[in-house]
Amino acid sequence: AEGSVQLIKGDNKYACSTDKSGRCELRGVAGGMYTVTVEQPGRPAPKEKTVVIPPSGEVKLIVNAS
């Protein structure tokens, strides 16, 4: 579903908008622990989750919209 994704670590914030299939890509994210916020239109509140991004900066995150 369309929406937005934010990764937050201290003052560092990365964001992208998802496409119709709910996918987006963030580039240049340094490894570390982040709070991920997923917002979707029509949903009452954003979902938050803490994730660890490896030093490679590559991760696939799947968030259940229900």
Side-chain angles (χ1 to χ4, degrees):
E2 292 181 18
S4 65
V5 175
Q6 291 185 9
L7 286 178
I8 303 167
K9 178 182 175 186
D11 292 335
N12 297 322
K13 184 189 253 187
Y14 303 89
C16 64
S17 295
T18 59
D19 61 18
K20 289 181 182 181
S21 63
R23 297 175 189 219
C24 70
E25 186 173 331
L26 297 167
R27 296 184 179 265
V29 177
M33 189 174 294
Y34 290 83
T35 299
V36 178
T37 302
V38 179
E39 294 184 59
Q40 291 177 292
R43 296 282 179 178
K47 291 188 171 225
E48 286 189 1
K49 184 173 184 160
T50 301
V51 297
V52 176
I53 306 293
S56 69
E58 238 177 87
V59 68
K60 184 176 189 176
L61 176 66
I62 300 172
V63 178
N64 186 345
S66 58

